[in-house]
Protein backbone atom coordinates (compact mmCIF):
# COMPACT_ATOMS: atom_id res chain seq x y z
CA UNK A 1 0.00 0.00 0.00
CA UNK A 2 2.83 2.39 0.90
CA UNK A 3 6.14 2.03 -0.93
CA UNK A 4 9.12 4.14 0.03
CA UNK A 5 12.20 3.90 -2.18
CA UNK A 6 15.55 5.36 -1.29
CA UNK A 7 13.96 8.38 0.36
CA UNK A 8 16.21 11.27 1.27
CA UNK A 9 14.85 14.20 3.19
CA UNK A 10 15.51 16.82 5.82
CA UNK A 11 15.35 20.48 6.60
CA UNK A 12 17.03 22.86 4.16
CA UNK A 13 20.61 21.74 3.71
CA UNK A 14 20.53 19.31 6.61
CA UNK A 15 19.89 15.83 5.35
CA UNK A 16 18.24 13.71 8.03
CA UNK A 17 16.90 10.76 6.03
CA UNK A 18 19.71 9.17 4.09
CA UNK A 19 18.10 6.75 1.71
CA UNK A 20 15.22 4.93 3.39
CA UNK A 21 13.32 2.10 1.73
CA UNK A 22 10.36 0.38 3.30
CA UNK A 23 6.94 -0.90 2.38
CA UNK A 24 3.66 -1.48 4.15
CA UNK A 25 0.95 -3.79 2.87
CA UNK A 26 -2.79 -3.38 3.30
CA UNK A 27 -4.02 -4.45 6.72
CA UNK A 28 -0.56 -4.57 8.25
CA UNK A 29 0.67 -2.97 11.41
CA UNK A 30 4.29 -2.00 11.04
CA UNK A 31 6.49 -0.51 13.73
CA UNK A 32 9.21 2.03 13.07
CA UNK A 33 11.56 2.10 16.01
CA UNK A 34 14.57 4.19 16.83
CA UNK A 35 16.02 6.53 19.39
CA UNK A 36 15.67 10.29 19.49
CA UNK A 37 17.14 11.89 16.40
CA UNK A 38 17.00 8.73 14.31
CA UNK A 39 14.75 10.51 11.82
CA UNK A 40 11.35 9.08 12.75
CA UNK A 41 9.41 12.33 12.82
CA UNK A 42 11.23 13.64 9.74
CA UNK A 43 10.10 10.49 7.96
CA UNK A 44 6.49 11.10 9.02
CA UNK A 45 6.52 14.73 7.99
CA UNK A 46 8.03 13.86 4.63
CA UNK A 47 5.36 11.20 4.08
CA UNK A 48 2.64 13.72 5.01
CA UNK A 49 4.02 16.34 2.64
CA UNK A 50 4.83 18.83 5.40
CA UNK A 51 8.49 18.95 4.35
CA UNK A 52 9.56 18.21 0.75
CA UNK A 53 11.81 15.22 0.09
CA UNK A 54 15.31 15.74 -1.33
CA UNK A 55 15.27 12.60 -3.43
CA UNK A 56 13.62 9.20 -3.68
CA UNK A 57 10.12 8.03 -4.34
CA UNK A 58 6.97 7.51 -2.26
CA UNK A 59 3.90 5.84 -3.67
CA UNK A 60 0.59 5.23 -1.95
CA UNK A 61 -2.14 2.96 -3.28
CA UNK A 62 -0.17 2.66 -6.52
CA UNK A 63 0.00 6.42 -7.07
CA UNK A 64 3.14 8.45 -6.75
CA UNK A 65 2.87 11.05 -3.97
CA UNK A 66 6.54 12.00 -3.66
CA UNK A 67 6.03 15.73 -4.11
CA UNK A 68 2.27 15.89 -3.58
CA UNK A 69 0.82 18.70 -1.45
CA UNK A 70 -0.16 17.84 2.11
CA UNK A 71 -3.81 18.41 1.21
CA UNK A 72 -3.69 15.80 -1.58
CA UNK A 73 -1.97 13.33 0.73
CA UNK A 74 -4.71 13.67 3.35
CA UNK A 75 -7.33 13.47 0.58
CA UNK A 76 -5.78 10.16 -0.54
CA UNK A 77 -6.30 8.78 2.98
CA UNK A 78 -2.75 8.87 4.34
CA UNK A 79 -3.34 10.48 7.70
CA UNK A 80 -0.90 11.24 10.47
CA UNK A 81 -1.55 11.59 14.19
CA UNK A 82 1.49 13.68 15.07
CA UNK A 83 3.82 13.60 18.01
CA UNK A 84 2.71 16.17 20.56
CA UNK A 85 -0.95 15.72 19.50
CA UNK A 86 -1.31 19.07 17.73
CA UNK A 87 -4.98 19.33 18.59
CA UNK A 88 -6.64 22.74 18.20
CA UNK A 89 -6.51 24.10 21.77
CA UNK A 90 -9.02 26.91 21.22
CA UNK A 91 -11.65 24.65 19.64
CA UNK A 92 -13.99 22.29 21.44
CA UNK A 93 -13.58 18.53 21.38
CA UNK A 94 -16.48 18.29 18.96
CA UNK A 95 -15.04 20.96 16.64
CA UNK A 96 -11.67 19.22 16.65
CA UNK A 97 -13.36 16.01 15.54
CA UNK A 98 -15.40 17.85 12.91
CA UNK A 99 -12.24 19.28 11.39
CA UNK A 100 -10.83 15.75 11.21
CA UNK A 101 -13.29 15.25 8.35
CA UNK A 102 -12.44 18.56 6.65
CA UNK A 103 -11.33 16.80 3.48
CA UNK A 104 -12.42 13.18 3.85
CA UNK A 105 -15.39 11.44 5.36
CA UNK A 106 -17.49 14.61 5.57
CA UNK A 107 -20.66 12.82 4.51
CA UNK A 108 -20.44 10.38 7.41
CA UNK A 109 -19.32 13.00 9.93
CA UNK A 110 -22.04 12.47 12.58
CA UNK A 111 -21.76 8.71 12.27
CA UNK A 112 -17.96 8.80 12.63
CA UNK A 113 -18.15 11.10 15.64
CA UNK A 114 -20.39 8.54 17.33
CA UNK A 115 -17.87 5.85 16.44
CA UNK A 116 -15.02 7.87 17.99
CA UNK A 117 -17.14 8.42 21.11
CA UNK A 118 -17.74 4.68 21.31
CA UNK A 119 -13.98 4.12 21.27
CA UNK A 120 -13.22 7.00 23.67
CA UNK A 121 -16.24 7.53 25.94
CA UNK A 122 -14.15 10.09 27.84
CA UNK A 123 -14.25 12.42 24.84
CA UNK A 124 -18.03 12.34 24.82
CA UNK A 125 -18.07 13.59 28.41
CA UNK A 126 -15.82 16.47 27.31
CA UNK A 127 -17.65 17.22 24.06
CA UNK A 128 -18.09 20.97 24.61
CA UNK A 129 -14.79 21.51 26.40
CA UNK A 130 -11.89 23.29 24.72
CA UNK A 131 -9.17 20.85 23.72
CA UNK A 132 -6.52 22.97 25.45
CA UNK A 133 -8.11 22.19 28.82
CA UNK A 134 -7.91 18.40 28.40
CA UNK A 135 -5.31 16.22 30.12
CA UNK A 136 -2.43 14.83 28.07
CA UNK A 137 -4.06 11.43 27.75
CA UNK A 138 -7.37 12.93 26.68
CA UNK A 139 -5.59 15.08 24.10
CA UNK A 140 -3.94 11.95 22.73
CA UNK A 141 -7.36 10.29 22.45
CA UNK A 142 -8.66 13.39 20.69
CA UNK A 143 -5.72 13.43 18.27
CA UNK A 144 -6.34 9.79 17.36
CA UNK A 145 -10.09 10.40 17.15
CA UNK A 146 -9.49 13.36 14.85
CA UNK A 147 -7.28 11.16 12.69
CA UNK A 148 -9.99 8.48 12.49
CA UNK A 149 -12.56 11.08 11.43
CA UNK A 150 -10.77 11.34 8.08
CA UNK A 151 -11.48 7.66 7.39
CA UNK A 152 -7.79 6.84 6.92
CA UNK A 153 -6.59 4.16 4.52
CA UNK A 154 -3.29 4.27 6.37
CA UNK A 155 -2.85 5.83 9.79
CA UNK A 156 0.57 7.03 10.94
CA UNK A 157 0.77 7.17 14.72
CA UNK A 158 3.78 9.16 15.94
CA UNK A 159 4.67 8.32 19.56
CA UNK A 160 1.09 7.76 20.73
CA UNK A 161 2.30 6.52 24.12
CA UNK A 162 4.51 9.51 24.87
CA UNK A 163 3.69 11.18 28.16
CA UNK A 164 0.91 8.76 29.12
CA UNK A 165 0.66 6.98 32.45
CA UNK A 166 1.64 3.27 32.38
CA UNK A 167 -2.00 2.21 32.61
CA UNK A 168 -2.99 4.45 29.69
CA UNK A 169 -0.04 3.17 27.67
CA UNK A 170 -1.43 -0.37 28.02
CA UNK A 171 -4.86 0.85 26.93
CA UNK A 172 -3.42 2.78 24.00
CA UNK A 173 -1.61 -0.24 22.59
CA UNK A 174 -4.66 -2.45 23.07
CA UNK A 175 -6.66 0.12 21.15
CA UNK A 176 -4.13 0.33 18.31
CA UNK A 177 -4.23 -3.46 18.03
CA UNK A 178 -8.02 -3.39 17.93
CA UNK A 179 -8.12 -0.73 15.21
CA UNK A 180 -5.76 -2.87 13.16
CA UNK A 181 -7.89 -5.96 13.68
CA UNK A 182 -10.85 -3.97 12.39
CA UNK A 183 -8.97 -3.56 9.12
CA UNK A 184 -6.99 -0.33 9.50
CA UNK A 185 -3.43 -0.27 8.17
CA UNK A 186 -1.15 1.31 10.74
CA UNK A 187 2.38 2.68 10.72
CA UNK A 188 3.36 2.86 14.37
CA UNK A 189 6.33 5.09 15.12
CA UNK A 190 7.49 4.53 18.68
CA UNK A 191 10.24 4.63 21.23
CA UNK A 192 8.38 2.11 23.39
CA UNK A 193 10.00 -0.94 21.84
CA UNK A 194 8.52 -3.74 23.94
CA UNK A 195 4.87 -2.79 23.57
CA UNK A 196 5.21 -1.89 19.89
CA UNK A 197 6.78 -5.21 18.97
CA UNK A 198 4.04 -7.08 20.80
CA UNK A 199 1.32 -5.78 18.48
CA UNK A 200 3.27 -5.32 15.23
CA UNK A 201 3.62 -7.80 12.38
CA UNK A 202 6.86 -6.30 11.13
CA UNK A 203 9.34 -3.73 12.32
CA UNK A 204 11.94 -1.37 10.96
CA UNK A 205 14.72 0.10 13.06
CA UNK A 206 16.03 3.53 12.09
CA UNK A 207 19.39 4.86 13.11
CA UNK A 208 20.96 8.09 11.84
CA UNK A 209 18.43 8.34 9.06
CA UNK A 210 18.94 4.86 7.67
CA UNK A 211 17.18 1.53 8.09
CA UNK A 212 19.48 -0.77 10.09
CA UNK A 213 16.99 -3.61 10.52
CA UNK A 214 13.84 -4.82 8.93
CA UNK A 215 12.01 -8.02 9.76
CA UNK A 216 9.60 -9.61 12.19
CA UNK A 217 9.56 -8.77 15.89
CA UNK A 218 10.86 -12.28 16.68
CA UNK A 219 13.87 -11.80 14.44
CA UNK A 220 14.57 -8.46 16.06
CA UNK A 221 14.21 -9.78 19.59
CA UNK A 222 16.50 -12.73 18.91
CA UNK A 223 19.26 -10.48 17.62
CA UNK A 224 20.92 -9.42 20.83
CA UNK A 225 23.58 -7.23 19.15
CA UNK A 226 20.97 -5.15 17.43
CA UNK A 227 18.87 -4.91 20.55
CA UNK A 228 21.80 -3.69 22.59
CA UNK A 229 23.20 -1.31 19.96
CA UNK A 230 20.07 0.44 18.84
CA UNK A 231 17.21 -0.22 21.18
CA UNK A 232 18.93 -0.31 24.54
CA UNK A 233 17.23 -3.51 25.70
CA UNK B 1 -25.69 67.12 34.65
CA UNK B 2 -26.83 66.70 31.11
CA UNK B 3 -30.45 66.21 30.42
CA UNK B 4 -31.62 62.81 29.29
CA UNK B 5 -33.19 64.39 26.23
CA UNK B 6 -29.70 65.26 25.00
CA UNK B 7 -27.84 62.26 26.37
CA UNK B 8 -30.19 59.65 24.89
CA UNK B 9 -29.87 60.73 21.24
CA UNK B 10 -26.13 61.04 21.75
CA UNK B 11 -25.91 57.44 22.96
CA UNK B 12 -28.03 56.27 20.04
CA UNK B 13 -25.81 58.16 17.62
CA UNK B 14 -22.77 56.62 19.26
CA UNK B 15 -24.21 53.14 18.87
CA UNK B 16 -24.85 53.67 15.17
CA UNK B 17 -21.27 54.83 14.56
CA UNK B 18 -20.00 52.12 16.88
CA UNK B 19 -21.59 49.36 14.83
CA UNK B 20 -19.65 50.49 11.75
CA UNK B 21 -16.47 50.79 13.83
CA UNK B 22 -17.11 47.23 15.01
CA UNK B 23 -17.37 46.01 11.44
CA UNK B 24 -14.04 47.63 10.53
CA UNK B 25 -12.39 46.30 13.70
CA UNK B 26 -13.80 42.83 13.11
CA UNK B 27 -11.94 42.67 9.81
CA UNK B 28 -8.77 43.88 11.50
CA UNK B 29 -8.97 41.42 14.38
CA UNK B 30 -9.76 38.52 12.02
CA UNK B 31 -6.62 39.24 10.03
CA UNK B 32 -4.58 39.67 13.19
CA UNK B 33 -5.94 36.60 14.93
CA UNK B 34 -5.32 34.21 12.05
CA UNK B 35 -2.41 35.62 10.13
CA UNK B 36 -0.75 37.42 13.05
CA UNK B 37 -0.57 40.36 10.65
CA UNK B 38 -1.10 43.83 12.00
CA UNK B 39 -2.61 45.17 8.82
CA UNK B 40 -1.44 48.76 8.49
CA UNK B 41 -3.15 48.95 5.11
CA UNK B 42 -6.60 48.48 6.68
CA UNK B 43 -7.40 52.22 6.68
CA UNK B 44 -6.14 52.77 3.14
CA UNK B 45 -8.20 49.81 1.95
CA UNK B 46 -11.29 51.28 3.61
CA UNK B 47 -10.51 54.51 1.73
CA UNK B 48 -10.34 52.57 -1.55
CA UNK B 49 -13.68 50.94 -0.78
CA UNK B 50 -15.23 54.33 -0.02
CA UNK B 51 -14.01 55.67 -3.37
CA UNK B 52 -15.45 52.54 -4.97
CA UNK B 53 -18.88 53.30 -3.51
CA UNK B 54 -18.48 56.97 -4.41
CA UNK B 55 -17.68 56.35 -8.08
CA UNK B 56 -20.35 53.67 -8.43
CA UNK B 57 -22.81 56.34 -7.29
CA UNK B 58 -21.40 59.26 -9.30
CA UNK B 59 -20.77 57.51 -12.61
CA UNK B 60 -23.36 54.75 -12.67
CA UNK B 61 -25.92 56.18 -10.31
CA UNK B 62 -25.90 53.12 -8.10
CA UNK B 63 -27.27 53.69 -4.61
CA UNK B 64 -24.61 53.04 -1.89
CA UNK B 65 -26.70 50.25 -0.35
CA UNK B 66 -27.28 48.69 -3.76
CA UNK B 67 -23.51 48.58 -4.31
CA UNK B 68 -23.12 46.07 -1.44
CA UNK B 69 -23.31 43.06 -3.81
CA UNK B 70 -20.55 44.65 -5.89
CA UNK B 71 -18.27 46.07 -3.19
CA UNK B 72 -18.28 43.10 -0.81
CA UNK B 73 -17.16 40.50 -3.40
CA UNK B 74 -14.77 43.01 -5.02
CA UNK B 75 -13.03 43.75 -1.72
CA UNK B 76 -12.98 40.04 -0.90
CA UNK B 77 -11.22 39.24 -4.18
CA UNK B 78 -8.81 42.12 -3.71
CA UNK B 79 -7.96 40.82 -0.23
CA UNK B 80 -7.56 37.23 -1.36
CA UNK B 81 -5.21 38.29 -4.16
CA UNK B 82 -3.27 40.76 -1.99
CA UNK B 83 -2.54 38.17 0.67
CA UNK B 84 -1.78 35.28 -1.65
CA UNK B 85 0.23 37.03 -4.33
CA UNK B 86 1.66 40.15 -2.70
CA UNK B 87 1.89 40.02 1.09
CA UNK B 88 2.66 36.31 1.33
CA UNK B 89 5.31 36.43 -1.39
CA UNK B 90 6.95 39.66 -0.36
CA UNK B 91 7.22 38.72 3.29
CA UNK B 92 8.88 35.31 2.92
CA UNK B 93 7.00 34.16 6.00
CA UNK B 94 8.64 36.69 8.34
CA UNK B 95 6.16 38.61 10.48
CA UNK B 96 8.26 41.79 10.70
CA UNK B 97 8.36 41.87 6.90
CA UNK B 98 4.57 41.55 6.71
CA UNK B 99 4.30 44.66 8.86
CA UNK B 100 6.48 46.61 6.45
CA UNK B 101 4.68 45.26 3.39
CA UNK B 102 1.26 46.36 4.66
CA UNK B 103 2.67 49.76 5.67
CA UNK B 104 4.19 50.12 2.21
CA UNK B 105 0.90 49.16 0.59
CA UNK B 106 -0.89 51.83 2.64
CA UNK B 107 1.57 54.53 1.55
CA UNK B 108 1.29 53.50 -2.10
CA UNK B 109 -2.52 53.41 -2.04
CA UNK B 110 -2.91 56.75 -0.24
CA UNK B 111 -0.55 58.55 -2.60
CA UNK B 112 -2.06 56.96 -5.67
CA UNK B 113 -5.43 58.19 -4.44
CA UNK B 114 -4.02 61.70 -3.92
CA UNK B 115 -2.58 61.60 -7.42
CA UNK B 116 -5.68 60.26 -9.13
CA UNK B 117 -8.48 61.87 -7.18
CA UNK B 118 -6.77 64.84 -5.43
CA UNK B 119 -7.17 65.71 -1.80
CA UNK B 120 -10.74 67.02 -2.22
CA UNK B 121 -13.22 65.79 0.32
CA UNK B 122 -16.19 64.36 -1.50
CA UNK B 123 -19.67 63.47 -0.38
CA UNK B 124 -22.68 62.06 -2.10
CA UNK B 125 -26.25 63.15 -1.83
CA UNK B 126 -29.10 60.70 -1.80
CA UNK B 127 -32.80 61.19 -1.31
CA UNK B 128 -32.46 60.00 2.29
CA UNK B 129 -29.22 61.79 3.26
CA UNK B 130 -31.00 64.34 5.43
CA UNK B 131 -34.06 62.39 6.51
CA UNK B 132 -34.40 61.42 10.13
CA UNK B 133 -36.35 58.88 12.08
CA UNK B 134 -37.92 59.29 15.50
CA UNK B 135 -36.68 56.72 18.04
CA UNK B 136 -38.38 57.29 21.41
CA UNK B 137 -38.20 61.01 20.90
CA UNK B 138 -34.65 61.11 19.56
CA UNK B 139 -34.22 62.19 15.96
CA UNK B 140 -31.61 59.96 14.35
CA UNK B 141 -30.57 60.25 10.71
CA UNK B 142 -31.86 57.46 8.49
CA UNK B 143 -28.45 56.56 6.95
CA UNK B 144 -27.08 56.10 10.48
CA UNK B 145 -29.91 53.76 11.47
CA UNK B 146 -29.39 51.82 8.24
CA UNK B 147 -25.64 51.66 8.94
CA UNK B 148 -26.32 50.36 12.45
CA UNK B 149 -28.68 47.63 11.30
CA UNK B 150 -26.55 46.69 8.31
CA UNK B 151 -23.27 46.59 10.22
CA UNK B 152 -24.78 44.48 13.00
CA UNK B 153 -26.27 42.10 10.44
CA UNK B 154 -22.90 41.65 8.73
CA UNK B 155 -21.18 41.16 12.10
CA UNK B 156 -23.76 38.50 13.01
CA UNK B 157 -23.27 36.72 9.68
CA UNK B 158 -19.52 36.76 10.15
CA UNK B 159 -19.70 35.41 13.71
CA UNK B 160 -22.04 32.69 12.46
CA UNK B 161 -19.63 31.80 9.66
CA UNK B 162 -16.76 31.57 12.13
CA UNK B 163 -18.70 29.48 14.62
CA UNK B 164 -20.70 27.15 12.41
CA UNK B 165 -18.94 26.43 9.13
CA UNK B 166 -15.89 24.31 8.34
CA UNK B 167 -14.17 27.37 6.90
CA UNK B 168 -14.79 29.23 10.17
CA UNK B 169 -13.48 26.31 12.24
CA UNK B 170 -10.45 26.07 9.97
CA UNK B 171 -9.79 29.81 10.38
CA UNK B 172 -9.90 29.50 14.16
CA UNK B 173 -7.85 26.29 14.11
CA UNK B 174 -5.08 27.82 12.02
CA UNK B 175 -4.88 30.79 14.37
CA UNK B 176 -3.45 28.49 17.06
CA UNK B 177 -2.16 25.31 15.44
CA UNK B 178 -0.90 25.48 11.86
CA UNK B 179 0.89 22.14 11.81
CA UNK B 180 -2.18 20.34 13.14
CA UNK B 181 -4.29 22.10 10.52
CA UNK B 182 -2.05 20.87 7.72
CA UNK B 183 -2.32 17.32 9.05
CA UNK B 184 -6.11 17.29 8.73
CA UNK B 185 -5.73 18.58 5.18
CA UNK B 186 -6.61 22.25 5.67
CA UNK B 187 -4.98 24.23 2.86
CA UNK B 188 -3.26 26.77 5.08
CA UNK B 189 -2.25 29.19 2.31
CA UNK B 190 -5.82 29.21 0.96
CA UNK B 191 -7.40 29.79 4.37
CA UNK B 192 -4.93 32.60 5.09
CA UNK B 193 -6.00 34.32 1.89
CA UNK B 194 -9.68 33.65 2.67
CA UNK B 195 -9.25 35.30 6.08
CA UNK B 196 -7.63 38.36 4.54
CA UNK B 197 -10.36 38.44 1.90
CA UNK B 198 -13.13 38.24 4.50
CA UNK B 199 -11.43 40.96 6.56
CA UNK B 200 -11.50 43.24 3.52
CA UNK B 201 -15.05 42.23 2.59
CA UNK B 202 -16.02 43.75 5.97
CA UNK B 203 -14.45 47.01 4.77
CA UNK B 204 -16.45 46.82 1.55
CA UNK B 205 -19.67 46.51 3.56
CA UNK B 206 -18.59 49.24 5.99
CA UNK B 207 -17.92 51.62 3.07
CA UNK B 208 -21.43 51.10 1.68
CA UNK B 209 -22.97 51.82 5.08
CA UNK B 210 -20.70 54.81 5.79
CA UNK B 211 -20.78 56.89 2.65
CA UNK B 212 -24.40 58.13 2.69
CA UNK B 213 -23.67 59.94 5.97
CA UNK B 214 -19.94 60.43 5.63
CA UNK B 215 -17.26 61.67 3.25
CA UNK B 216 -14.24 60.36 1.43
CA UNK B 217 -10.78 61.75 0.81
CA UNK B 218 -7.42 60.00 0.35
CA UNK B 219 -6.55 60.13 4.06
CA UNK B 220 -10.01 59.28 5.44
CA UNK B 221 -8.79 55.83 6.53
CA UNK B 222 -6.35 57.19 9.09
CA UNK B 223 -9.04 58.31 11.51
CA UNK B 224 -10.71 54.92 11.32
CA UNK B 225 -7.59 52.84 11.63
CA UNK B 226 -6.59 54.46 14.92
CA UNK B 227 -10.05 53.85 16.34
CA UNK B 228 -10.11 50.31 14.96
CA UNK B 229 -6.80 49.46 16.66
CA UNK B 230 -8.13 50.87 19.93
CA UNK B 231 -11.22 48.68 19.59
CA UNK B 232 -9.13 45.58 18.90
CA UNK B 233 -6.99 46.27 21.98
CA UNK B 234 -10.08 47.00 24.08
CA UNK B 235 -11.92 43.87 22.96
CA UNK B 236 -8.84 41.66 23.03
CA UNK B 237 -6.53 40.90 20.10
CA UNK B 238 -8.12 38.27 17.90
CA UNK B 239 -11.43 38.19 19.82
CA UNK B 240 -14.44 38.51 17.51
CA UNK B 241 -17.03 39.19 20.19
CA UNK B 242 -14.55 41.64 21.71
CA UNK B 243 -14.38 43.62 18.48
CA UNK B 244 -18.16 43.87 18.34
CA UNK B 245 -18.55 44.96 21.96
CA UNK B 246 -15.49 47.22 21.75
CA UNK B 247 -16.83 48.95 18.65
CA UNK B 248 -20.14 49.78 20.30
CA UNK B 249 -18.44 51.00 23.49
CA UNK B 250 -15.99 53.21 21.59
CA UNK B 251 -18.80 54.63 19.46
CA UNK B 252 -20.78 55.66 22.54
CA UNK B 253 -17.70 57.03 24.35
CA UNK B 254 -16.81 59.15 21.34
CA UNK B 255 -20.33 60.49 20.93
CA UNK B 256 -20.98 61.24 24.61
CA UNK B 257 -17.44 62.60 25.01
CA UNK B 258 -18.13 64.98 22.15
CA UNK B 259 -21.21 66.18 23.95
CA UNK B 260 -19.23 67.17 27.03
CA UNK B 261 -15.96 68.31 25.53
CA UNK B 262 -16.98 69.37 22.05
CA UNK B 263 -16.63 67.60 18.74
CA UNK B 264 -12.86 67.90 18.42
CA UNK B 265 -12.02 66.81 21.97
CA UNK B 266 -14.58 64.01 22.04
CA UNK B 267 -12.01 61.43 21.02
CA UNK B 268 -10.03 62.00 24.22
CA UNK B 269 -12.27 59.45 25.89
CA UNK B 270 -11.23 56.81 23.36
CA UNK B 271 -7.56 57.22 24.10
CA UNK B 272 -8.19 57.38 27.81
CA UNK B 273 -9.84 53.97 27.51
CA UNK B 274 -6.93 52.76 25.40
CA UNK B 275 -4.42 53.72 28.09
CA UNK B 276 -6.55 52.33 30.91
CA UNK B 277 -6.95 49.00 29.14
CA UNK B 278 -3.22 48.76 28.49
CA UNK B 279 -2.54 49.52 32.16
CA UNK B 280 -5.12 47.35 33.88
CA UNK B 281 -6.32 44.71 31.44
CA UNK B 282 -3.76 44.37 28.65
CA UNK B 283 -5.40 41.22 27.30
CA UNK B 284 -8.58 43.22 26.60
CA UNK B 285 -12.16 42.69 27.74
CA UNK B 286 -12.65 39.38 25.94
CA UNK B 287 -9.04 38.42 25.38
CA UNK B 288 -7.26 35.45 26.87
CA UNK B 289 -4.06 35.97 28.81
CA UNK B 290 -1.08 35.01 26.71
Amino acid sequence: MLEIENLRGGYGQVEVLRGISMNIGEGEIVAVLGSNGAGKSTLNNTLSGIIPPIAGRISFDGKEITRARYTDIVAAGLIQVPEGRRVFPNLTVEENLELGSYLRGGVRRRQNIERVFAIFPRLKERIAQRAGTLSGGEQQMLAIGRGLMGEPRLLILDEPSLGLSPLLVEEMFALIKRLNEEGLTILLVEQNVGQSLEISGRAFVLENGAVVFSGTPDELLSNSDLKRAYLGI
Amino acid sequence: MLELSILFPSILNGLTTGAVYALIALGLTLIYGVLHIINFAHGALLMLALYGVYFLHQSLGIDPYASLPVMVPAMFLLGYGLQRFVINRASHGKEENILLVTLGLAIIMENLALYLWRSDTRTIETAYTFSTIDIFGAMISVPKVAAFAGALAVCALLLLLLARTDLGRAIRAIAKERQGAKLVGIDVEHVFAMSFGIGLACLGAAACFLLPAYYVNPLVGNGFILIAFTIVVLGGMGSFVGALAGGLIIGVVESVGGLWLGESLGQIGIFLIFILVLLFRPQGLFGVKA
Side-chain angles (χ1 to χ4, degrees):
Chain A
M1 175 178 255
L2 183 72
E3 311 267 343
I4 305 167
E5 287 167 41
N6 208 15
L7 182 68
R8 295 172 171 275
Y11 303 88
Q13 297 295 311
V14 186
E15 191 173 295
V16 179
L17 306 176
R18 297 177 303 165
I20 286 184
S21 297
M22 55 174 70
N23 67 300
I24 298 157
E26 184 144 15
E28 268 196 296
I29 175 162
V30 172
V32 172
L33 308 170
S35 53
N36 271 330
K40 302 188 305 291
S41 289
T42 308
L43 173 64
N44 289 343
N45 286 335
T46 309
L47 291 178
S48 289
I50 304 289
I51 51 174
I54 296 167
R57 196 167 172 277
I58 309 165
S59 69
F60 181 62
D61 263 345
K63 269 177 264 162
E64 172 153 3
I65 56 161
T66 313
R67 282 172 203 286
R69 287 200 75 201
Y70 54 88
T71 47
D72 295 329
I73 290 170
V74 171
L78 176 55
I79 292 172
Q80 184 193 155
V81 177
E83 183 188 350
R85 293 104 194 208
R86 301 278 181 187
V87 294
F88 307 120
N90 53 331
L91 270 58
T92 66
V93 166
E94 189 175 26
E95 288 175 325
N96 266 273
L97 292 176
E98 284 169 335
L99 278 183
S101 55
Y102 183 80
L103 273 190
R104 271 175 72 86
V107 279
R108 283 171 299 280
R109 180 174 279 184
R110 300 311 334 162
Q111 207 175 314
N112 288 338
I113 286 182
E114 287 310 317
R115 190 177 144 234
V116 169
F117 284 157
I119 299 170
F120 302 112
R122 189 88 65 85
L123 291 182
K124 190 168 190 172
E125 295 165 23
R126 307 257 187 271
I127 185 164
Q129 210 169 311
R130 280 170 195 255
T133 65
L134 300 179
S135 72
E138 289 164 345
Q139 287 191 13
Q140 187 63 58
M141 294 174 195
L142 181 58
I144 294 176
R146 186 180 69 181
L148 292 174
M149 288 297 295
E151 301 183 347
R153 304 252 308 115
L154 176 104
L155 190 66
I156 301 176
L157 294 168
D158 195 347
E159 308 265 8
S161 73
L162 197 71
L164 300 187
S165 68
L167 198 68
L168 269 178
V169 170
E170 289 279 343
E171 266 181 48
M172 195 55 79
F173 279 101
L175 169 81
I176 295 167
K177 191 172 178 214
R178 205 178 98 206
L179 289 172
N180 176 246
E181 283 163 359
E182 288 169 8
L184 184 59
T185 312
I186 292 173
L187 180 63
L188 176 61
V189 179
E190 262 291 351
Q191 287 198 53
N192 189 330
V193 176
Q195 301 260 21
S196 304
L197 289 179
E198 248 171 60
I199 61 169
S200 302
R202 287 191 300 136
F204 291 86
V205 177
L206 286 192
E207 185 61 31
N208 285 327
V211 176
V212 292
F213 169 87
S214 78
T216 64
D218 288 341
E219 286 166 8
L220 178 55
L221 291 171
S222 62
N223 186 333
S224 52
D225 288 344
L226 203 67
K227 270 167 38 184
R228 205 173 315 116
Y230 298 116
L231 304 173
I233 53 172
Chain B
M1 191 61 207
L2 281 161
E3 271 187 61
L4 200 63
S5 63
I6 305 173
L7 194 60
F8 179 60
S10 172
I11 289 172
L12 284 186
N13 264 315
L15 284 174
T16 60
T17 323
V20 181
Y21 286 164
L23 191 51
I24 296 167
L26 209 53
L28 195 66
T29 207
L30 176 67
I31 291 167
Y32 173 79
V34 181
L35 299 151
H36 307 287
I37 291 179
I38 295 182
N39 179 23
F40 277 119
H42 212 62
L45 287 159
L46 175 65
M47 175 270 296
L48 274 193
L50 283 164
Y51 271 110
V53 181
Y54 175 81
F55 285 119
L56 281 174
H57 182 264
Q58 294 307 100
S59 358
L60 302 171
I62 300 177
D63 184 89
Y65 302 131
S67 42
L68 271 169
V70 181
M71 287 311 298
V72 172
M75 289 301 287
F76 170 79
L77 288 176
L78 176 67
Y80 190 97
L82 262 187
Q83 158 59 22
R84 190 134 203 187
F85 303 113
V86 179
I87 297 175
N88 191 33
R89 291 213 179 159
S91 61
H92 304 286
K94 289 191 185 141
E95 296 190 358
E96 64 270 25
N97 287 358
I98 298 176
L99 215 71
L100 289 175
V101 172
T102 61
L103 191 61
L105 281 173
I107 294 170
I108 291 170
M109 283 187 282
E110 284 176 0
N111 285 286
L112 264 182
L114 268 171
Y115 176 73
L116 292 172
W117 305 314
R118 297 174 214 275
S119 59
D120 304 343
T121 290
R122 304 166 193 242
T123 55
I124 58 168
E125 213 164 288
T126 56
Y128 46 81
T129 299
F130 296 108
S131 37
T132 54
I133 186 169
D134 186 331
I135 300 174
F136 301 113
M139 303 304 283
I140 307 293
S141 97
V142 168
K144 287 201 145 193
V145 175
F148 177 75
L152 281 191
V154 176
C155 287
L157 276 177
L158 187 58
L159 293 180
L160 210 62
L161 173 115
L162 287 166
R164 293 265 177 270
T165 67
D166 265 8
L167 175 63
R169 292 182 196 109
I171 286 173
R172 288 181 290 133
I174 284 181
K176 294 281 184 222
E177 182 50 71
R178 288 179 193 181
Q179 178 96 342
K182 285 184 173 180
L183 291 175
V184 299
I186 295 171
D187 187 336
V188 171
E189 290 79 8
H190 170 70
V191 174
F192 274 0
M194 289 297 284
S195 308
F196 207 87
I198 294 170
L200 262 57
C202 291
L203 293 181
C208 294
F209 297 133
L210 270 176
L211 201 62
Y214 209 71
Y215 58 86
V216 56
N217 65 40
L219 298 178
V220 69
N222 292 339
F224 284 100
I225 194 75
L226 214 54
I227 290 174
F229 274 122
T230 312
I231 291 167
V232 169
V233 170
L234 171 64
M237 285 275 192
S239 161
F240 307 120
V241 181
L244 184 55
L248 295 174
I249 293 172
I250 292 292
V252 172
V253 166
E254 182 188 38
S255 172
V256 175
L259 205 60
W260 256 296
L261 305 166
E263 198 69 34
S264 56
L265 286 177
Q267 292 203 335
I268 281 181
I270 297 176
F271 299 108
L272 222 77
I273 287 186
F274 188 70
I275 292 166
L276 288 177
V277 169
L278 288 180
L279 279 178
F280 297 109
R281 203 178 157 79
Q283 75 271 33
L285 294 177
F286 294 86
V288 187
K289 268 196 184 134

